[in-house]
Amino acid sequence: VQASDGRYRFDFERAAAVCAWSEMARELPAIPVRRPALLVAALQEIYVTPAVRDGLAALLGDQLSVLDLDCGHMVYWDCFDEVAGALRTFLGTP
């Protein structure tokens, strides 16, 4: 949306953002079944901590694939080609 100062900003509901952050701040969930999982981590951000990596590795073992990207948290914007390629490989599509 274009703001009164002429700049464009994301249009979002503050209450929804607060709710989303509260969900992301929880402990890692117990994953009852080991399935292949892909973790795409933005190295310029603090969201994927060593504790998160260790916890997922402990839960998933060799089923966990990790892609570290030197970008901000909007990995699909900052590194679109890398993310798309990783998803194609992970999902087994050409």
Side-chain angles (χ1 to χ4, degrees), residues 3-36:
S4 60
D5 62 3
R7 294 181 178 186
Y8 287 92
R9 294 185 174 82
F10 288 109
D11 184 20
F12 69 95
E13 179 62 42
R14 289 179 193 263
V18 169
C19 181
W21 274 106
S22 70
E23 290 296 316
M24 290 185 277
R26 295 175 183 236
E27 295 181 21
L28 286 176
I31 301 174
V33 179
R34 288 178 48 155
R35 301 257 188 230

Side-chain angles (χ1 to χ4, degrees), residues 70-89:
D70 186 20
C71 64
H73 79 281
M74 301 291 251
V75 293
Y76 50 88
W77 281 356
D78 294 348
C79 298
F80 179 85
D81 292 335
E82 294 90 337
V83 172
L87 287 172
R88 282 189 196 101
T89 299

Side-chain angles (χ1 to χ4, degrees), residues 50-70:
V52 168
R53 288 176 184 270
D54 294 345
L56 289 173
L59 288 169
L60 298 168
D62 62 353
Q63 296 294 301
L64 178 64
S65 299
V66 178
L67 173 62
D68 289 321
L69 297 173
D70 186 20

